[in-house]
Amino acid sequence: MNHRLYQDVEHVHGSVGDVLRLIRTGDTASRSTIARSTGLAPSTVGLRVDTLVELGLVHEVGAEGSRGGRRARRLELDGAAGFVAAADLGANHARIVLSDLAGRTITDTDDTGVSEPLPRADGPAAAVAELWRRFVQLAEDADLPMADFRGAAIGVPAPVAYPSGRIVTPAFEPSWHDAALGALFQEHTDAPVLVENDANLIALAERSDTLPPECSQLVAVKLGTRIGGGVIAGGRLHRGVGGAAGEVSHTSVDGVSAIGCTCGVPNCLESVASGGAIATRLRAAGHDVGTTGDLLRLGAQGDAAVVEELRAAGELIGRVLAGIANFFNPREVVLAGAMSASPPLVAAIRSELYRMCLPLVADDLEVRASRAPRDAGIRGGVVLALDEVLAPARIDELARRGVLAEVG
Ligand SMILES: [Zn+2]
């Protein structure tokens, strides 16, 4: 494999990689359904499938139903053909999940109790070395040979420049500004390691699991100590030209900032209405509020000052989201992050959003909570890693070189 990233942008229609994509995303895939949906000749589909079987990526199982006595066998991605890693990094944690190629979790450090943060004092290269050491250790503990490691995705609570993967002004560790963690992994592996903003990963994880992927049009917002956002357009993560798409939190709002922000936008949403801003404002008024956990608890207990702050912040967030909904016309606005568990905040966001958006937009809009508030970020990392390592262009290259066949 080589170091080119984001191979998903280019591939040949009807190629081996394309056929694997259909097998991954289709409800039921067989040689005949693939021939129908691609328009390829059955003999060509047969060759493509044979290559995928030889590569160890696909196997045929069971019967799809009988038609004229001939049994159509169902094609499945072989999850055991390799594994990927996803990591979710923050100031106080480094959660790691190893997943098979079918997206099934093999091991999760939140279950094994070892999600302690990476050391950051010695710079990003040392942190990457430690993260790689943990990947190797987890694989060893799960009896996975590192030869089967296909790639990884790392989520960080900061903007990430696209396509360089450089972290921009990370509040969780300012000294990591401009660090390219993915490139630092080249010291340890030839497999692709992508770095992505954590809210973008949440958006990926929240893509519809009932509609075809290309029908997903959603905005995901991570509400925590800070605020982040991600956009899925036509089923794909929309990063914009430089990776900044979805940075809803740095929109100037009608309020006064309570915390600093490096964005330079006066009174940006994050500095006025994030969990960190609300807690800071309450502390200044003499309330005993330390963390977002305190805000949730006091809000649930009906503390009048806290509820009023949550309601006011929710209105500001809802108004910003209404502008985005009017412009983008999403099917869903998904609320995630610790603060999305606050009923007064969420109620205010919801009512202000619906009040301020066009009927044509509101009619088809669902404002909902994350399907897995605690796991969306890390699940999104698995999705991104798998989409990359199984990208049609990358599979086409494998097919040309027969790399997996030689290894397996
Ligand atoms: Zn800002």
Side-chain angles (χ1 to χ4, degrees):
M1 293 196 197
N2 61 28
H3 292 299
R4 276 189 300 141
L5 298 179
Y6 306 108
Q7 303 245 343
D8 56 324
V9 292
E10 31 157 328
H11 67 270
V12 183
H13 182 71
S15 67
V16 175
D18 241 4
V19 170
L20 179 64
R21 186 179 55 81
L22 288 171
I23 294 170
R24 280 185 74 206
T25 56
D27 284 342
T28 53
S30 67
R31 290 168 193 254
S32 55
T33 60
I34 290 168
R36 273 201 299 278
S37 64
T38 58
L40 293 173
S43 57
T44 310
V45 172
L47 289 172
R48 302 275 189 272
V49 171
D50 289 347
T51 303
L52 290 168
V53 172
E54 277 166 32
L55 287 170
L57 287 166
V58 163
H59 54 212
E60 291 182 278
V61 288
E64 194 202 45
S66 55
R67 202 169 294 135
R70 282 187 63 187
R71 296 201 313 156
R73 288 164 69 78
R74 191 158 48 85
L75 298 165
E76 268 187 6
L77 173 73
D78 189 342
F83 72 95
V84 296
D88 178 45
L89 305 186
N92 302 308
H93 69 276
R95 181 179 178 187
I96 303 167
V97 159
L98 300 186
S99 161
D100 75 7
L101 293 189
R104 287 181 290 257
T105 297
I106 298 167
T107 182
D108 179 344
T109 57
D110 264 14
D111 297 333
T112 54
V114 281
S115 295
E116 73 262 31
L118 295 174
R120 299 197 297 275
D122 295 333
V128 162
E130 168 62 14
L131 188 53
W132 178 251
R133 193 195 63 75
R134 292 189 196 178
F135 286 175
V136 172
Q137 184 64 53
L138 286 167
E140 195 179 307
D141 293 346
D143 285 328
L144 298 168
M146 281 311 284
D148 286 351
F149 175 72
R150 301 281 173 241
I154 316 290
V156 292
V160 175
Y162 174 85
S164 70
R166 290 184 182 277
I167 301 177
V168 182
T169 60
F172 78 103
E173 181 53 52
S175 74
W176 282 18
H177 172 66
D178 215 30
L181 300 188
L184 292 170
F185 271 92
Q186 290 175 19
E187 189 83 8
H188 308 282
T189 178
D190 286 337
V193 178
L194 305 181
V195 180
E196 190 55 76
N197 169 260
D198 58 354
N200 280 356
L201 293 180
I202 289 171
L204 268 179
E206 296 290 342
R207 243 181 349 194
S208 174
D209 50 7
T210 50
L211 295 166
E214 62 273 18
C215 293
S216 260
Q217 314 278 1
L218 73 85
V219 174
V221 188
K222 184 187 178 193
L223 304 166
T225 309
R226 294 188 168 260
I227 298 175
V231 179
I232 299 289
R236 296 170 70 97
L237 182 60
H238 175 72
R239 294 185 176 92
V241 173
E247 289 291 335
V248 293
S249 50
H250 306 293
T251 306
S252 191
V253 296
D254 189 16
V256 179
S257 63
I259 57 171
C261 186
T262 53
C263 70
V265 175
N267 301 316
C268 75
L269 183 66
E270 178 165 298
S271 67
V272 176
S274 62
I278 298 169
T280 302
R281 203 176 296 114
L282 283 164
R283 271 198 301 277
H287 295 270
D288 183 18
V289 179
T291 61
T292 50
D294 294 337
L295 281 178
L296 291 173
R297 184 173 45 77
L298 293 167
Q301 289 168 1
D303 182 301
V306 173
V307 169
E308 175 50 29
E309 279 287 344
L310 291 167
R311 199 195 52 72
E315 264 183 27
L316 293 174
I317 296 167
R319 212 165 299 163
V320 167
L321 290 175
I324 286 160
N326 282 344
F327 180 75
F328 176 57
N329 191 194
R331 193 182 302 279
E332 297 170 299
V333 170
V334 181
L335 304 176
M339 293 303 296
S340 71
S342 165
L345 182 80
V346 169
I349 292 173
R350 186 186 292 274
S351 70
E352 190 67 5
L353 211 176
Y354 280 113
R355 191 172 77 85
M356 300 294 273
C357 74
L358 290 167
L360 188 60
V361 170
D363 283 351
D364 297 315
L365 179 66
E366 185 188 355
V367 180
R368 67 168 173 87
S370 163
R371 284 191 287 261
R374 212 182 66 84
D375 299 324
I378 197 102
R379 288 305 309 162
V382 170
V383 170
L384 181 67
L386 290 175
D387 278 358
E388 182 56 37
V389 306
L390 298 174
R394 206 175 271 283
I395 297 304
D396 291 346
E397 194 169 321
L398 276 183
R400 275 194 295 276
R401 294 162 55 180
V403 173
L404 273 179
E406 282 167 29
V407 173

mmCIF file of all heavy atoms in Angstrom, residues 264-301:
data_model
loop_
_atom_site.group_PDB
_atom_site.id
_atom_site.type_symbol
_atom_site.label_atom_id
_atom_site.label_comp_id
_atom_site.label_asym_id
_atom_site.label_seq_id
_atom_site.Cartn_x
_atom_site.Cartn_y
_atom_site.Cartn_z
ATOM 1 N N GLY A 264 -11.556 34.343 16.494
ATOM 2 C CA GLY A 264 -11.514 35.752 16.116
ATOM 3 C C GLY A 264 -12.864 36.350 15.766
ATOM 4 O O GLY A 264 -12.973 37.553 15.543
ATOM 5 N N VAL A 265 -13.917 35.507 15.700
ATOM 6 C CA VAL A 265 -15.262 36.016 15.420
ATOM 7 C C VAL A 265 -15.841 36.568 16.721
ATOM 8 O O VAL A 265 -15.874 35.850 17.719
ATOM 9 C CB VAL A 265 -16.174 34.900 14.865
ATOM 10 C CG1 VAL A 265 -17.595 35.403 14.680
ATOM 11 C CG2 VAL A 265 -15.606 34.347 13.574
ATOM 12 N N PRO A 266 -16.286 37.828 16.751
ATOM 13 C CA PRO A 266 -16.807 38.377 18.003
ATOM 14 C C PRO A 266 -18.060 37.636 18.462
ATOM 15 O O PRO A 266 -18.947 37.367 17.654
ATOM 16 C CB PRO A 266 -17.116 39.845 17.666
ATOM 17 C CG PRO A 266 -17.033 39.972 16.187
ATOM 18 C CD PRO A 266 -16.310 38.800 15.641
ATOM 19 N N ASN A 267 -18.107 37.314 19.754
ATOM 20 C CA ASN A 267 -19.258 36.637 20.354
ATOM 21 C C ASN A 267 -19.718 35.424 19.540
ATOM 22 O O ASN A 267 -20.890 35.295 19.195
ATOM 23 C CB ASN A 267 -20.421 37.617 20.555
ATOM 24 C CG ASN A 267 -20.032 38.779 21.458
ATOM 25 O OD1 ASN A 267 -19.396 38.573 22.495
ATOM 26 N ND2 ASN A 267 -20.366 39.992 21.068
ATOM 27 N N CYS A 268 -18.778 34.524 19.241
ATOM 28 C CA CYS A 268 -19.158 33.325 18.483
ATOM 29 C C CYS A 268 -20.001 32.404 19.365
ATOM 30 O O CYS A 268 -19.924 32.458 20.593
ATOM 31 C CB CYS A 268 -17.926 32.592 17.950
ATOM 32 S SG CYS A 268 -17.012 31.660 19.188
ATOM 33 N N LEU A 269 -20.808 31.574 18.710
ATOM 34 C CA LEU A 269 -21.747 30.692 19.422
ATOM 35 C C LEU A 269 -21.050 29.901 20.527
ATOM 36 O O LEU A 269 -21.557 29.782 21.639
ATOM 37 C CB LEU A 269 -22.411 29.741 18.418
ATOM 38 C CG LEU A 269 -23.468 28.790 18.992
ATOM 39 C CD1 LEU A 269 -24.689 29.552 19.484
ATOM 40 C CD2 LEU A 269 -23.886 27.747 17.952
ATOM 41 N N GLU A 270 -19.866 29.358 20.220
ATOM 42 C CA GLU A 270 -19.156 28.539 21.201
ATOM 43 C C GLU A 270 -18.783 29.343 22.447
ATOM 44 O O GLU A 270 -18.905 28.854 23.574
ATOM 45 C CB GLU A 270 -17.895 27.951 20.563
ATOM 46 C CG GLU A 270 -17.069 27.128 21.529
ATOM 47 C CD GLU A 270 -16.032 26.268 20.811
ATOM 48 O OE1 GLU A 270 -16.450 25.399 20.022
ATOM 49 O OE2 GLU A 270 -14.838 26.465 21.036
ATOM 50 N N SER A 271 -18.352 30.593 22.244
ATOM 51 C CA SER A 271 -17.900 31.384 23.394
ATOM 52 C C SER A 271 -19.079 31.942 24.196
ATOM 53 O O SER A 271 -18.911 32.413 25.316
ATOM 54 C CB SER A 271 -16.983 32.523 22.925
ATOM 55 O OG SER A 271 -17.714 33.470 22.167
ATOM 56 N N VAL A 272 -20.309 31.856 23.622
ATOM 57 C CA VAL A 272 -21.495 32.377 24.314
ATOM 58 C C VAL A 272 -22.367 31.249 24.873
ATOM 59 O O VAL A 272 -22.882 31.353 25.991
ATOM 60 C CB VAL A 272 -22.351 33.257 23.346
ATOM 61 C CG1 VAL A 272 -23.632 33.715 24.023
ATOM 62 C CG2 VAL A 272 -21.550 34.442 22.840
ATOM 63 N N ALA A 273 -22.523 30.146 24.113
ATOM 64 C CA ALA A 273 -23.582 29.178 24.440
ATOM 65 C C ALA A 273 -23.093 27.746 24.649
ATOM 66 O O ALA A 273 -23.913 26.841 24.823
ATOM 67 C CB ALA A 273 -24.644 29.197 23.337
ATOM 68 N N SER A 274 -21.784 27.492 24.650
ATOM 69 C CA SER A 274 -21.298 26.129 24.893
ATOM 70 C C SER A 274 -21.422 25.789 26.378
ATOM 71 O O SER A 274 -21.621 26.679 27.219
ATOM 72 C CB SER A 274 -19.836 26.017 24.461
ATOM 73 O OG SER A 274 -19.037 26.894 25.232
ATOM 74 N N GLY A 275 -21.272 24.509 26.707
ATOM 75 C CA GLY A 275 -21.308 24.090 28.104
ATOM 76 C C GLY A 275 -20.272 24.846 28.927
ATOM 77 O O GLY A 275 -20.536 25.270 30.059
ATOM 78 N N GLY A 276 -19.086 25.044 28.347
ATOM 79 C CA GLY A 276 -18.018 25.768 29.034
ATOM 80 C C GLY A 276 -18.408 27.217 29.307
ATOM 81 O O GLY A 276 -18.134 27.762 30.383
ATOM 82 N N ALA A 277 -19.074 27.848 28.323
ATOM 83 C CA ALA A 277 -19.489 29.253 28.490
ATOM 84 C C ALA A 277 -20.581 29.386 29.544
ATOM 85 O O ALA A 277 -20.545 30.291 30.387
ATOM 86 C CB ALA A 277 -19.974 29.811 27.148
ATOM 87 N N ILE A 278 -21.547 28.448 29.500
ATOM 88 C CA ILE A 278 -22.655 28.499 30.475
ATOM 89 C C ILE A 278 -22.105 28.341 31.892
ATOM 90 O O ILE A 278 -22.458 29.094 32.805
ATOM 91 C CB ILE A 278 -23.695 27.379 30.186
ATOM 92 C CG1 ILE A 278 -24.314 27.574 28.803
ATOM 93 C CG2 ILE A 278 -24.768 27.349 31.258
ATOM 94 C CD1 ILE A 278 -25.149 26.373 28.337
ATOM 95 N N ALA A 279 -21.210 27.353 32.069
ATOM 96 C CA ALA A 279 -20.658 27.100 33.407
ATOM 97 C C ALA A 279 -19.851 28.306 33.895
ATOM 98 O O ALA A 279 -19.951 28.693 35.069
ATOM 99 C CB ALA A 279 -19.773 25.845 33.360
ATOM 100 N N THR A 280 -19.085 28.914 32.994
ATOM 101 C CA THR A 280 -18.272 30.075 33.375
ATOM 102 C C THR A 280 -19.164 31.236 33.815
ATOM 103 O O THR A 280 -18.897 31.899 34.820
ATOM 104 C CB THR A 280 -17.383 30.521 32.183
ATOM 105 O OG1 THR A 280 -16.561 29.414 31.797
ATOM 106 C CG2 THR A 280 -16.499 31.701 32.559
ATOM 107 N N ARG A 281 -20.250 31.472 33.070
ATOM 108 C CA ARG A 281 -21.163 32.572 33.400
ATOM 109 C C ARG A 281 -21.841 32.330 34.749
ATOM 110 O O ARG A 281 -21.963 33.235 35.558
ATOM 111 C CB ARG A 281 -22.212 32.725 32.291
ATOM 112 C CG ARG A 281 -22.837 34.116 32.240
ATOM 113 C CD ARG A 281 -23.800 34.273 31.075
ATOM 114 N NE ARG A 281 -23.149 34.163 29.794
ATOM 115 C CZ ARG A 281 -23.358 33.176 28.903
ATOM 116 N NH1 ARG A 281 -24.218 32.229 29.169
ATOM 117 N NH2 ARG A 281 -22.723 33.169 27.778
ATOM 118 N N LEU A 282 -22.225 31.071 34.988
ATOM 119 C CA LEU A 282 -22.888 30.753 36.265
ATOM 120 C C LEU A 282 -21.907 30.911 37.430
ATOM 121 O O LEU A 282 -22.278 31.408 38.498
ATOM 122 C CB LEU A 282 -23.460 29.330 36.227
ATOM 123 C CG LEU A 282 -24.766 29.179 35.436
ATOM 124 C CD1 LEU A 282 -25.054 27.717 35.123
ATOM 125 C CD2 LEU A 282 -25.935 29.802 36.213
ATOM 126 N N ARG A 283 -20.651 30.466 37.214
ATOM 127 C CA ARG A 283 -19.642 30.612 38.279
ATOM 128 C C ARG A 283 -19.429 32.084 38.620
ATOM 129 O O ARG A 283 -19.345 32.457 39.790
ATOM 130 C CB ARG A 283 -18.314 29.986 37.843
ATOM 131 C CG ARG A 283 -18.186 28.515 38.194
ATOM 132 C CD ARG A 283 -16.736 28.045 38.151
ATOM 133 N NE ARG A 283 -16.118 28.234 36.849
ATOM 134 C CZ ARG A 283 -16.242 27.383 35.832
ATOM 135 N NH1 ARG A 283 -16.972 26.281 35.981
ATOM 136 N NH2 ARG A 283 -15.647 27.610 34.680
ATOM 137 N N ALA A 284 -19.377 32.929 37.570
ATOM 138 C CA ALA A 284 -19.164 34.365 37.793
ATOM 139 C C ALA A 284 -20.311 34.963 38.606
ATOM 140 O O ALA A 284 -20.134 35.955 39.318
ATOM 141 C CB ALA A 284 -19.024 35.085 36.448
ATOM 142 N N ALA A 285 -21.490 34.340 38.502
ATOM 143 C CA ALA A 285 -22.657 34.837 39.256
ATOM 144 C C ALA A 285 -22.753 34.168 40.624
ATOM 145 O O ALA A 285 -23.764 34.303 41.317
ATOM 146 C CB ALA A 285 -23.923 34.593 38.441
ATOM 147 N N GLY A 286 -21.709 33.387 40.987
ATOM 148 C CA GLY A 286 -21.653 32.828 42.333
ATOM 149 C C GLY A 286 -22.209 31.427 42.478
ATOM 150 O O GLY A 286 -22.353 30.924 43.591
ATOM 151 N N HIS A 287 -22.528 30.750 41.360
ATOM 152 C CA HIS A 287 -23.064 29.389 41.452
ATOM 153 C C HIS A 287 -21.926 28.370 41.478
ATOM 154 O O HIS A 287 -20.886 28.573 40.878
ATOM 155 C CB HIS A 287 -23.993 29.094 40.273
ATOM 156 C CG HIS A 287 -25.224 29.942 40.269
ATOM 157 N ND1 HIS A 287 -26.392 29.574 40.900
ATOM 158 C CD2 HIS A 287 -25.443 31.161 39.737
ATOM 159 C CE1 HIS A 287 -27.286 30.532 40.748
ATOM 160 N NE2 HIS A 287 -26.741 31.513 40.044
ATOM 161 N N ASP A 288 -22.152 27.253 42.152
ATOM 162 C CA ASP A 288 -21.130 26.221 42.296
ATOM 163 C C ASP A 288 -21.258 25.218 41.134
ATOM 164 O O ASP A 288 -21.858 24.161 41.273
ATOM 165 C CB ASP A 288 -21.315 25.528 43.660
ATOM 166 C CG ASP A 288 -20.220 24.495 43.894
ATOM 167 O OD1 ASP A 288 -19.173 24.562 43.198
ATOM 168 O OD2 ASP A 288 -20.415 23.619 44.756
ATOM 169 N N VAL A 289 -20.737 25.607 39.988
ATOM 170 C CA VAL A 289 -20.820 24.767 38.795
ATOM 171 C C VAL A 289 -19.415 24.533 38.253
ATOM 172 O O VAL A 289 -18.729 25.481 37.877
ATOM 173 C CB VAL A 289 -21.666 25.439 37.692
ATOM 174 C CG1 VAL A 289 -21.714 24.559 36.451
ATOM 175 C CG2 VAL A 289 -23.068 25.733 38.197
ATOM 176 N N GLY A 290 -18.964 23.270 38.227
ATOM 177 C CA GLY A 290 -17.620 22.993 37.741
ATOM 178 C C GLY A 290 -17.607 22.482 36.312
ATOM 179 O O GLY A 290 -16.983 23.049 35.423
ATOM 180 N N THR A 291 -18.347 21.409 36.069
ATOM 181 C CA THR A 291 -18.254 20.693 34.785
ATOM 182 C C THR A 291 -19.610 20.683 34.073
ATOM 183 O O THR A 291 -20.623 21.131 34.626
ATOM 184 C CB THR A 291 -17.865 19.227 35.045
ATOM 185 O OG1 THR A 291 -18.905 18.628 35.846
ATOM 186 C CG2 THR A 291 -16.540 19.138 35.785
ATOM 187 N N THR A 292 -19.604 20.144 32.849
ATOM 188 C CA THR A 292 -20.880 19.984 32.149
ATOM 189 C C THR A 292 -21.778 18.998 32.912
ATOM 190 O O THR A 292 -22.996 19.110 32.865
ATOM 191 C CB THR A 292 -20.663 19.466 30.706
ATOM 192 O OG1 THR A 292 -19.814 18.324 30.751
ATOM 193 C CG2 THR A 292 -20.022 20.532 29.837
ATOM 194 N N GLY A 293 -21.151 18.053 33.629
ATOM 195 C CA GLY A 293 -21.922 17.118 34.452
ATOM 196 C C GLY A 293 -22.733 17.858 35.514
ATOM 197 O O GLY A 293 -23.897 17.528 35.772
ATOM 198 N N ASP A 294 -22.123 18.893 36.127
ATOM 199 C CA ASP A 294 -22.841 19.707 37.122
ATOM 200 C C ASP A 294 -24.029 20.419 36.474
ATOM 201 O O ASP A 294 -25.114 20.516 37.053
ATOM 202 C CB ASP A 294 -21.906 20.754 37.730
ATOM 203 C CG ASP A 294 -20.794 20.126 38.566
ATOM 204 O OD1 ASP A 294 -20.982 18.981 39.019
ATOM 205 O OD2 ASP A 294 -19.748 20.780 38.739
ATOM 206 N N LEU A 295 -23.811 20.926 35.245
ATOM 207 C CA LEU A 295 -24.891 21.628 34.535
ATOM 208 C C LEU A 295 -26.070 20.689 34.294
ATOM 209 O O LEU A 295 -27.234 21.070 34.489
ATOM 210 C CB LEU A 295 -24.390 22.139 33.175
ATOM 211 C CG LEU A 295 -23.550 23.406 33.155
ATOM 212 C CD1 LEU A 295 -23.121 23.702 31.719
ATOM 213 C CD2 LEU A 295 -24.331 24.580 33.733
ATOM 214 N N LEU A 296 -25.760 19.459 33.868
ATOM 215 C CA LEU A 296 -26.818 18.489 33.586
ATOM 216 C C LEU A 296 -27.598 18.166 34.857
ATOM 217 O O LEU A 296 -28.827 18.130 34.867
ATOM 218 C CB LEU A 296 -26.221 17.200 33.006
ATOM 219 C CG LEU A 296 -25.624 17.311 31.599
ATOM 220 C CD1 LEU A 296 -24.917 16.017 31.219
ATOM 221 C CD2 LEU A 296 -26.721 17.625 30.587
ATOM 222 N N ARG A 297 -26.844 17.952 35.957
ATOM 223 C CA ARG A 297 -27.472 17.562 37.230
ATOM 224 C C ARG A 297 -28.363 18.702 37.750
ATOM 225 O O ARG A 297 -29.539 18.495 38.075
ATOM 226 C CB ARG A 297 -26.373 17.224 38.233
ATOM 227 C CG ARG A 297 -26.857 16.697 39.578
ATOM 228 C CD ARG A 297 -25.670 16.224 40.428
ATOM 229 N NE ARG A 297 -24.546 17.157 40.415
ATOM 230 C CZ ARG A 297 -24.498 18.293 41.120
ATOM 231 N NH1 ARG A 297 -25.510 18.611 41.904
ATOM 232 N NH2 ARG A 297 -23.446 19.090 41.047
ATOM 233 N N LEU A 298 -27.809 19.933 37.793
ATOM 234 C CA LEU A 298 -28.573 21.065 38.320
ATOM 235 C C LEU A 298 -29.759 21.403 37.412
ATOM 236 O O LEU A 298 -30.836 21.779 37.897
ATOM 237 C CB LEU A 298 -27.661 22.287 38.491
ATOM 238 C CG LEU A 298 -26.590 22.129 39.583
ATOM 239 C CD1 LEU A 298 -25.535 23.228 39.486
ATOM 240 C CD2 LEU A 298 -27.243 22.129 40.970
ATOM 241 N N GLY A 299 -29.567 21.221 36.101
ATOM 242 C CA GLY A 299 -30.668 21.454 35.158
ATOM 243 C C GLY A 299 -31.799 20.466 35.403
ATOM 244 O O GLY A 299 -32.976 20.828 35.395
ATOM 245 N N ALA A 300 -31.422 19.200 35.649
ATOM 246 C CA ALA A 300 -32.422 18.160 35.894
ATOM 247 C C ALA A 300 -33.148 18.389 37.211
ATOM 248 O O ALA A 300 -34.329 18.060 37.360
ATOM 249 C CB ALA A 300 -31.754 16.787 35.883
ATOM 250 N N GLN A 301 -32.426 18.995 38.194
ATOM 251 C CA GLN A 301 -33.053 19.274 39.497
ATOM 252 C C GLN A 301 -33.937 20.522 39.450
ATOM 253 O O GLN A 301 -34.593 20.862 40.432
ATOM 254 C CB GLN A 301 -31.970 19.450 40.573
ATOM 255 C CG GLN A 301 -31.260 18.147 40.946
ATOM 256 C CD GLN A 301 -30.013 18.369 41.776
ATOM 257 O OE1 GLN A 301 -29.665 19.513 42.100
ATOM 258 N NE2 GLN A 301 -29.319 17.294 42.111
#
